[in-house]
Amino acid sequence: MQQNIISTVIVAFCLAACGGSGNPTPPTQPPQTSCDLSALEQSLRQQATTLKTDTDFTLLLERFDGRSFSYSRGGSSAVTSYESASTSKWVSAVIILRLVDSGVLKLSDTAASRLSDWPLSISHPLSQMTLQQLLSFTSGLTEEPLCLNLPGADFAQCVRQGLSNNSANGRLPGNVFDYNGLHLQVAGLMAIRAAGVTDWQALFRQFTQQTGLFSTARYDLPSASNPRLAGGMHWTAQEYLDFLRALQQGKLLSAALQQQMLANQRGNATVLNSPAVSGFGADWPYGLGHWLECNSGQCTSAQRHSSPGAYGAYPLIDYQYSYLAMLAREGQLGSFVEGKAVVDALTPAIQAWAGCKI
């Protein structure tokens, strides 16, 4: 689903039985040397213009202090509607986590205890999967049901079908990491039932009304009645950047829950399926709904947090260099490597821009 260091921030995460805690400490910037911001922005824009890539894109940057930069290429813009793919995982996880903050759910809740139509016996190993494991893809679910991609499928019935399909996989919750969309469908159904709403759309409307975020975005793939929470949104680059800003500023989650979201939740789970490994050659661990970009799956801290999508979109928060970034694009399915390549190519210029304090 790589930098020259200007400043160092140590982000301490203590892994506990609940999955760990820790919160990125606001970076302390070293004394700044003189810099020409206009020249840096011109260089960044020139590099983005000459970069060879497979599709048009928009890049939005914003320092934590509010200074911003934008670049759009071809027909792309900050308000172009793009298909989310896996970038929606971070959004869906935060929507569900807000119910934890409000006391409607607990991370330790089992899906079996929250779903009256749970299809497995209470003694089945998968009946012990928790909301925390679902949001970190360590619940033991390894097979997506076909109905996850069928517009006419019933959301709850598809969840039950997916659980039944996994009943003989022999996996134990917490023992394996498998990056697939069924985890979030189960977690989403838990959230719908706990909140007492009719469907995910009602829960999403509550979120947008409470936060003012994603005012034109929608969960509509494969359909509004059966949305893929792990990859079924449409959004604009500006809407996603606004979400990243609110998240980074602590406006969406409590400090304690934000710590858990940003912590390594994968732990010692065996990796069965990770696009970070297969696509990027990076053993990134996973938090709640997003990746921790560090050099080892066992690391307990990360300075970059992201949620790349299969079409190459790439949202990230960089705590070391104190900036947000949103690369919005929609290449071919599976072109997530191309999106990261764009960001990687521009990263030295982005860091120089972010480090220039005037």
Side-chain angles (χ1 to χ4, degrees), residues 11 47 115 131 159:
V11 182
Q47 290 180 49
L115 302 179
L131 179 61
V159 167

Side-chain angles (χ1 to χ4, degrees), residues 217-261:
R218 58 199 186 275
Y219 280 85
D220 59 349
L221 298 171
S223 67
S225 60
N226 185 38
R228 281 193 308 270
L229 307 190
M233 288 184 78
H234 277 90
W235 44 245
T236 70
Q238 188 60 58
E239 286 177 321
Y240 209 109
L241 186 77
D242 293 343
F243 166 74
L244 293 176
R245 182 193 310 113
L247 190 60
Q248 182 271 320
Q249 292 178 349
K251 294 181 178 180
L252 300 182
L253 300 174
S254 66
L257 198 55
Q258 183 114 331
Q259 288 177 345
Q260 288 191 273
M261 181 196 70

Side-chain angles (χ1 to χ4, degrees), residues 12 41 63 66 70 77 144 177 236 251 285 291 303 336:
E41 291 184 343
R63 276 176 39 128
S70 65
S77 77
E144 288 187 358
F177 173 86
T236 70
K251 294 181 178 180
W291 297 98
Q303 295 161 347
F336 63 98

